[in-house]
Amino acid sequence: MSKKMVYYFGGGKAEGKADMKLLLGGKGANLAEMTNLGLPVPPGITITTEVCKEYFEKGCQFPEGMWEQVLEGLAKIEEEIGKKFGSKENPLLVSVRSGAPVSMPGMMDTILNLGLNDETVKGLANSTGNERFAWDSYRRFIQMFGNVVMGIPHDKFEALLEKKKEEVGAKADVDLTAEDLKDLVKQYKELVKKETGKDFPQDPYEQLRMAIKAVFDSWNNPRAIKYREINNIPEDYGTAVNIVAMVFGNMGETSGTGVAFTRNPSTGENVFYGEYLKNAQGEDVVAGIRTPQPLTKVQKTSSDQTSLEEEFPEVYKQLEKIREVLEKHYKDMQDIEFTIENGRLWMLQTRTGKRTARAAVKIAVDMVKEGLISKEEAILRVDPLMINQLLHPMIDEEDRKKAIAEGRLITKGLPAAPGAVSGIVVFSADEAVELAEKGKKVILVRHETSPEDIHGMHAAQGILTSRGGMTSHAAVVARGMGKTCIVGAESIHVDYENEEFRVGDVVVKKGDVITIDGATGEVFLGEIKTIPAQISGEFEELMKWADEIRDLQVRVNADTPEDAKQGREFGAEGIGLCRTEHMFFKEERIPVVREMILAKTEEERKRALSKLLPMQREDFIAIFKVMNGLPVNIRLLDPPLHEFLPRTEEEFERTAKEMGLPVEEIKRRAEELHEVNPMLGLRGSRLGIAYPEIYEMQARAILEAACYCKKEGIEVLPEIMLPLIADDKELEELKKLVDKVAEEVFNETGIKVQYQVGTMVEVPRAALIADQLAKYAEYFSFGTNDLTQMTFGLSRDDSGKFIGKYVELGILKGDPFMHIDENGVGQLIKLAVEKGNKVRPNMKTGICGEHGGDPRSINFFQKVGVKYVSPSPFRVPIARLAAAQAKIRQMRGEL
């Protein structure tokens, strides 16, 4: 018996179910589940994702036996629906749609109305008594099939459609008559012949074979590949193919189609939310070609709108009941697609709805209170990286009022995704990428976005469209990306040819700056001042639950009192990395630092350091005050000295003038200090060994600041970290130096503070001899940026030029500077933690590289027993939530 490759659903029974997503894809699994729940789902079949994988393995050929199983399934659909595929009297038409295990909205291909040809279109007209509908379906089919399967640009069909509308004076496609549509079909077929050299296929079975092949092929189209890359979706999942009996929303005034969310996807409010179009097919809504009507009366924003609740009250009541059934069953907010055919409701899809971070948090917290899910489940429901959306800036209210008074508010659209951003206007996705790579902030402006624009949307700060609704492609994808987005700004007239858009008399050209507010839908000319987001309400509640569960501490990387304050406000439990060299780069200090570096004698160097001492002391006092009662881990000077020296002729001349020395002498000294490979040269603890007076000054500044603060009633917990240690003798020598300075300071001030001396594990040798280092180090802090760099032999500054190729070829699973390399760098961390714990039981270990704010890496750190992570301030909330999720997964045995 051949392997089962096709699963049937229909008549209230299905061969699949919701937990078979990896095999049936999300769409197929949920169609089966809805069928089993007794909901009105058109009958259909699902070709499995395994077939897709086999198809590619066989060089894009169908596996043996698949076609026969498809025909068997098609016969069951015919029996259930009472129509015959290819019939000239009562034809069955089908949709052929993709369905990956993970939702990829709009990224792969769909064909509707398949089965129509020059004969079956007449049968459809006769059997329905609706000639216009039949020819409208045929022109739609040729357009979709011609584009998706035969590779003819969508715009060429659109141009013919627009020309026909103009010719007959039709405002929209619904105004075209049956005769208009017949002529359009003729023109479409001529276009197909011209573009491909072939006639449009008339055999429905050949159409079906070609469509299945096209859907499989779409798994590897550029936009799908890019979407998987952005969202970390595995390449080997493959897509299922769903072949479903067509139900028609374009049969006239008693028909329609819509998309709805069981809760508001933007705010998370527990209200039914969606849009619909009368006399339309589903693609009309999601493509944003026509601006739809609201689902509910509450959603209406003007009196000329008619909600589904008013237009189809009985259908709306049925939808309300289905909404309740689906939420209780899936225990999550659902995104549903439906069609109304002559007053009868059909469900075409349900899936977990994409939502903004704000909505994700509110829905998760509300569902706990409603008794649908547990606190642990609520924590797992929110993607930590989405929290970044909640930290987006908002428009300053005073500046908003001022801009409105100045007439700079030019239009308003639908607020599809939050945040307020300013940028220069561009009209193409390619240009958005090109300018973003040059460091420019851009706003991508389109009639509507299409899946081909995915790379530009990813590169842009924000997206603005003149068409579409809250469930259009632009809105759904932008929400998933966390991009600010406004859709359906209908007063905007986009002119691609002249690279401008107009709102009344206002003309905005490419390169002009605008500001868009995704919270209100407002579009402003010029840049508007923004203020940081304010976190409260459900977010605070969710984070409180996360803090109760996690055992991995979260600190913050902070070099200034401002960063320290921001980190503390976001819930940081101390500073995990304070980089002292950043303090040296201040304008008034760099001359003194250069004086110290260029000194010829120890005496001269100490004289310069004595000028730096009070500056450093004040820095630490300010940070200790902010972090009152929390530990502060301060790294002594780490970078090579050349980083502080002049580089340009102008800088050399200015430095010479400041120091009263000839330019040539400074250049000569700089040349003497030059290193072939400075990242592996005189830096870190090697500076402390070569020039102990530098580390003595810094240790004194830290400890004098600590004593001063203690005297002032501030609780200080200083940790002094020695960087780039590669040998235990090196560490022993420098720890003696710090302890000696501490004794001197305590004797001088009459005040004693508790302090710890630790080391940064960033050289592979340090991890290998961690047990020897633990004799002197009271804690380890892993500098994962340098540890990754040195373990791989990769420059973190230059590897971006080629690392993408390694990921693309599967040599690396991802960029090791973004996600910890568990098999190499991770094993060094695991080994160092184990060795350290043997010498100092329960030794304090932390991560202070960029990986400290990466959720995927945090899972690994939880598993190997690291005690804390320390990211940049705005990633502190992300790390807190990710740490809680890691703990839950560990308790469930999933790590």
Side-chain angles (χ1 to χ4, degrees):
M1 185 178 169
S2 63
K3 181 175 69 174
K4 189 168 181 62
M5 292 180 258
V6 176
Y7 286 71
Y8 177 76
F9 55 88
K13 290 181 183 177
E15 294 175 335
K17 52 185 179 176
D19 62 5
M20 294 170 70
K21 283 185 181 178
L22 281 176
L23 183 67
L24 302 180
K27 192 176 279 119
N30 285 329
L31 283 168
E33 191 76 2
M34 284 198 294
T35 301
N36 287 329
L37 286 170
L39 301 183
V41 177
I45 56 175
T46 302
I47 306 172
T48 69
T49 58
E50 287 180 354
V51 175
C52 179
K53 294 174 203 172
E54 208 172 325
Y55 167 82
F56 286 118
E57 286 166 9
K58 289 181 178 294
C60 297
Q61 298 295 319
F62 293 151
E64 192 177 334
M66 185 211 83
W67 183 246
E68 289 71 21
Q69 290 190 32
V70 167
L71 294 180
E72 287 170 21
L74 202 55
K76 288 182 184 176
I77 297 172
E78 291 173 334
E79 188 180 343
E80 177 66 33
I81 208 96
K83 298 177 183 179
K84 184 80 176 164
F85 191 64
S87 164
K88 294 178 184 177
E89 286 75 41
N90 189 19
L92 165 69
L93 304 186
V94 296
S95 64
V96 182
R97 306 179 74 184
S98 62
V102 177
S103 176
M104 295 171 60
M107 294 303 117
M108 291 177 295
D109 291 328
T110 292
I111 299 104
L112 304 180
N113 307 303
L114 189 141
L116 281 172
N117 59 26
D118 294 348
E119 296 300 320
T120 57
V121 69
K122 297 171 188 171
L124 184 64
N126 292 333
S127 63
T128 59
N130 191 335
E131 189 181 34
R132 189 207 169 277
F133 149 71
W135 286 93
D136 180 50
S137 299
Y138 195 15
R139 72 94 186 165
R140 288 170 181 271
F141 172 52
I142 297 172
Q143 183 165 345
M144 290 187 91
F145 192 93
N147 173 233
V148 169
V149 181
M150 306 183 83
I152 302 165
H154 173 79
D155 292 349
K156 296 200 173 185
F157 290 104
E158 279 296 306
L160 291 174
L161 176 61
E162 289 301 317
K163 187 180 172 189
K164 171 57 74 175
K165 281 157 61 177
E166 197 175 311
E167 191 182 295
V168 301
K171 283 187 178 180
D173 53 0
V174 291
D175 300 322
L176 295 173
T177 65
E179 292 308 310
D180 296 333
L181 291 162
K182 284 179 188 178
D183 185 48
L184 201 53
V185 163
K186 181 170 173 282
Q187 291 181 45
Y188 277 8
K189 285 160 66 182
E190 287 169 356
L191 175 65
V192 169
K193 179 79 170 178
K194 180 185 170 189
E195 290 288 321
T196 67
K198 300 175 186 174
D199 289 322
F200 187 80
Q202 293 290 304
D203 179 357
Y205 288 96
E206 182 59 23
Q207 292 172 359
L208 184 57
R209 289 181 72 97
M210 291 171 75
I212 294 169
K213 191 175 189 306
V215 171
F216 281 150
D217 289 341
S218 72
W219 176 252
N220 283 329
N221 70 36
R223 63 179 186 259
I225 290 168
K226 184 67 178 176
Y227 189 88
R228 291 199 294 274
E229 182 189 312
I230 292 168
N231 293 281
N232 295 313
I233 297 169
E235 290 288 324
D236 59 359
Y237 269 4
T239 181
V241 178
N242 299 286
I243 301 167
V244 186
M246 279 295 299
V247 288
F248 302 97
N250 60 326
M251 291 188 79
E253 293 300 296
T254 59
S255 301
T257 187
V259 176
F261 295 88
T262 55
R263 302 191 186 212
N264 186 310
S266 191
T267 66
E269 192 181 355
N270 190 0
V271 292
F272 208 8
Y273 189 91
E275 297 159 333
Y276 84 104
L277 279 170
K278 266 204 308 186
N279 195 17
Q281 289 196 341
E283 291 300 301
D284 297 340
V285 179
V286 296
I289 292 165
R290 285 162 60 190
T291 299
Q293 296 289 310
L295 186 76
T296 66
K297 288 187 278 191
V298 175
Q299 266 182 260
K300 288 169 64 173
T301 55
S302 67
S303 57
D304 60 350
Q305 292 179 324
T306 306
S307 68
L308 182 85
E309 188 178 2
E310 296 163 305
E311 185 75 24
F312 297 99
E314 292 307 312
V315 168
Y316 179 77
K317 283 178 190 170
Q318 194 181 351
L319 261 180
E320 274 276 23
K321 286 178 186 171
I322 289 170
R323 171 202 180 202
E324 194 176 329
V325 168
L326 290 174
E327 272 222 346
K328 281 187 177 171
H329 183 75
Y330 284 99
K331 300 184 190 306
D332 202 354
M333 184 263 273
Q334 295 296 293
D335 168 359
I336 62 177
E337 290 179 24
F338 61 90
T339 283
I340 306 159
E341 183 183 86
N342 288 328
R344 183 177 179 185
L345 177 67
W346 292 97
M347 298 299 296
L348 304 185
Q349 177 168 294
T350 190
R351 60 187 173 192
T352 300
K354 292 197 177 296
R355 62 206 79 177
T356 64
R358 179 185 168 197
V361 170
K362 180 167 176 55
I363 290 167
V365 172
D366 283 354
M367 284 190 167
V368 171
K369 293 176 179 176
E370 291 162 23
L372 284 173
I373 60 175
S374 65
K375 287 181 181 178
E376 288 79 8
E377 191 58 44
I379 288 165
L380 291 171
R381 282 278 171 90
V382 181
D383 179 353
L385 292 176
M386 282 183 76
I387 286 181
N388 202 31
Q389 291 182 33
L390 293 177
L391 312 178
H392 278 315
M394 301 178 291
I395 283 181
D396 177 79
E397 200 50 45
E398 289 306 310
D399 217 35
R400 182 200 300 276
K401 289 174 185 172
K402 184 182 172 191
I404 292 171
E406 292 168 350
R408 289 164 57 200
L409 173 59
I410 56 171
T411 190
K412 196 169 180 181
L414 300 173
V421 292
S422 300
I424 59 175
V425 169
V426 297
F427 294 94
S428 83
D430 289 343
E431 195 159 22
V433 171
E434 186 184 326
L435 290 174
E437 285 175 351
K438 292 176 181 174
K440 303 283 187 186
K441 293 184 176 180
V442 300
I443 308 288
L444 179 62
V445 181
R446 306 282 293 162
H447 287 311
E448 69 273 341
T449 61
S450 72
E452 279 78 12
D453 294 322
I454 184 75
H455 59 304
M457 296 174 75
H458 185 57
Q461 295 290 307
I463 298 115
L464 170 63
T465 71
S466 62
R467 301 176 187 162
M470 295 286 278
T471 52
S472 65
H473 175 268
V476 171
V477 174
R479 275 198 293 271
M481 286 182 172
K483 297 285 181 182
T484 297
C485 180
I486 295 172
V487 298
E490 292 187 325
S491 61
I492 287 177
H493 299 281
V494 180
D495 183 344
Y496 292 139
E497 194 175 331
N498 293 309
E499 296 186 306
E500 64 184 30
F501 73 80
R502 295 182 301 280
V503 183
D505 296 332
V506 177
V507 178
V508 178
K509 295 187 173 293
K510 183 180 86 170
D512 289 349
V513 174
I514 62 170
T515 299
I516 61 174
D517 187 345
T520 63
E522 294 170 327
V523 181
F524 295 89
L525 289 175
E527 190 167 345
I528 309 289
K529 184 179 168 187
T530 59
I531 56 171
Q534 295 169 342
I535 297 169
S536 59
E538 284 91 359
F539 179 79
E540 283 186 339
E541 197 158 2
L542 183 75
M543 296 308 287
K544 183 184 168 195
W545 297 343
D547 291 342
E548 287 168 0
I549 286 171
R550 69 180 169 89
D551 51 22
L552 192 65
Q553 277 197 324
V554 179
R555 296 194 187 185
V556 65
N557 292 345
D559 314 319
T560 66
E562 292 74 25
D563 281 350
K565 183 173 181 289
Q566 184 71 79
R568 188 155 190 172
E569 285 172 359
F570 283 152
E573 297 160 293
I575 290 178
L577 176 62
C578 177
R579 292 159 285 211
T580 54
E581 64 271 8
H582 285 194
M583 302 164 178
F584 287 176
F585 282 105
K586 290 181 181 176
E587 192 177 344
E588 71 278 9
R589 300 183 188 189
I590 196 73
V592 186
V593 174
R594 286 173 177 169
E595 182 185 333
M596 180 267 292
I597 293 169
L598 297 171
K600 296 174 187 170
T601 66
E602 185 179 333
E603 183 85 21
E604 288 179 358
R605 194 159 36 254
K606 283 185 174 178
R607 194 158 49 239
L609 286 168
S610 69
K611 297 176 189 176
L612 283 172
L613 174 63
M615 300 177 187
Q616 284 260 277
R617 186 170 57 229
E618 288 305 314
D619 290 330
F620 299 132
I621 287 172
I623 287 172
F624 287 146
K625 282 181 176 178
V626 173
M627 302 308 289
N628 187 1
L630 297 178
V632 177
N633 183 24
I634 301 165
R635 182 178 72 188
L636 301 189
L637 192 63
D638 178 54
L641 296 178
H642 82 281
E643 288 193 10
F644 300 99
L645 292 178
R647 295 179 191 182
T648 66
E649 194 65 37
E650 186 185 342
E651 285 178 341
F652 271 115
E653 287 175 7
R654 187 170 63 247
T655 302
K657 190 176 179 183
E658 287 166 351
M659 296 183 68
L661 293 171
V663 171
E664 291 310 313
E665 186 176 332
I666 293 176
K667 283 184 177 178
R668 187 171 60 252
R669 181 71 178 122
E671 183 60 33
E672 288 169 7
L673 289 169
H674 173 74
E675 296 179 274
V676 175
N677 194 341
M679 289 309 291
L680 299 178
L682 184 56
R683 56 168 289 214
S685 59
R686 296 156 199 171
L687 282 169
I689 296 291
Y691 305 114
E693 54 272 18
I694 296 176
Y695 276 15
E696 281 177 2
M697 181 278 288
Q698 289 196 294
R700 175 170 282 276
I702 293 166
L703 292 161
E704 284 182 355
C707 290
Y708 172 85
C709 287
K710 185 175 182 181
K711 186 179 177 184
E712 295 291 308
I714 295 159
E715 188 182 352
V716 285
L717 299 166
E719 299 169 346
I720 300 172
M721 182 160 65
L722 302 165
L724 213 78
I725 291 288
D727 191 87
D728 58 324
K729 298 295 183 191
E730 189 180 32
L731 179 58
E732 180 185 17
E733 186 70 24
L734 291 174
K735 186 176 187 303
K736 281 180 189 172
L737 180 149
V738 173
D739 290 341
K740 173 177 158 290
V741 171
E743 193 175 340
E744 289 171 2
V745 171
F746 298 159
N747 288 334
E748 289 164 14
T749 61
I751 299 169
K752 195 170 184 179
V753 295
Q754 292 295 315
Y755 69 96
Q756 290 186 323
V757 177
T759 187
M760 205 166 190
V761 178
E762 51 196 325
V763 177
R765 190 174 191 274
L768 296 170
I769 62 162
D771 49 347
Q772 295 170 45
L773 297 182
K775 293 172 188 172
Y776 307 104
E778 294 169 273
Y779 64 90
F780 289 158
S781 177
F782 294 94
T784 54
N785 300 345
D786 264 353
L787 188 58
T788 298
Q789 181 169 242
M790 295 191 189
T791 303
F792 272 96
L794 283 174
S795 163
R796 64 185 182 189
D797 298 314
D798 302 314
S799 62
K801 296 170 187 172
F802 58 84
I803 210 84
K805 188 71 175 174
Y806 273 64
V807 175
E808 183 187 321
L809 293 172
I811 297 170
L812 292 173
K813 287 184 180 177
D815 185 339
F817 291 106
M818 288 177 63
H819 312 296
I820 202 75
D821 159 47
E822 295 186 19
N823 294 330
V825 179
Q827 292 311 303
L828 287 172
I829 293 171
K830 182 173 181 283
L831 179 70
V833 170
E834 289 169 354
K835 282 177 170 270
N837 283 334
K838 280 179 185 172
V839 176
R840 293 180 187 268
N842 207 28
M843 187 179 188
K844 183 165 59 183
T845 51
I847 305 291
C848 62
E850 284 302 304
H851 301 95
D854 171 52
R856 196 198 299 182
S857 303
I858 285 171
N859 280 327
F860 178 77
F861 301 143
Q862 174 75 31
K863 188 165 63 176
V864 299
V866 168
K867 294 293 188 292
Y868 70 83
V869 293
S870 186
S872 56
F874 278 84
R875 292 184 80 84
V876 167
I878 294 170
R880 287 166 64 197
L881 184 59
Q885 292 181 347
K887 179 65 176 178
I888 293 167
R889 292 189 186 107
Q890 187 178 51
M891 291 189 295
R892 292 180 176 183
E894 295 171 7
L895 283 188

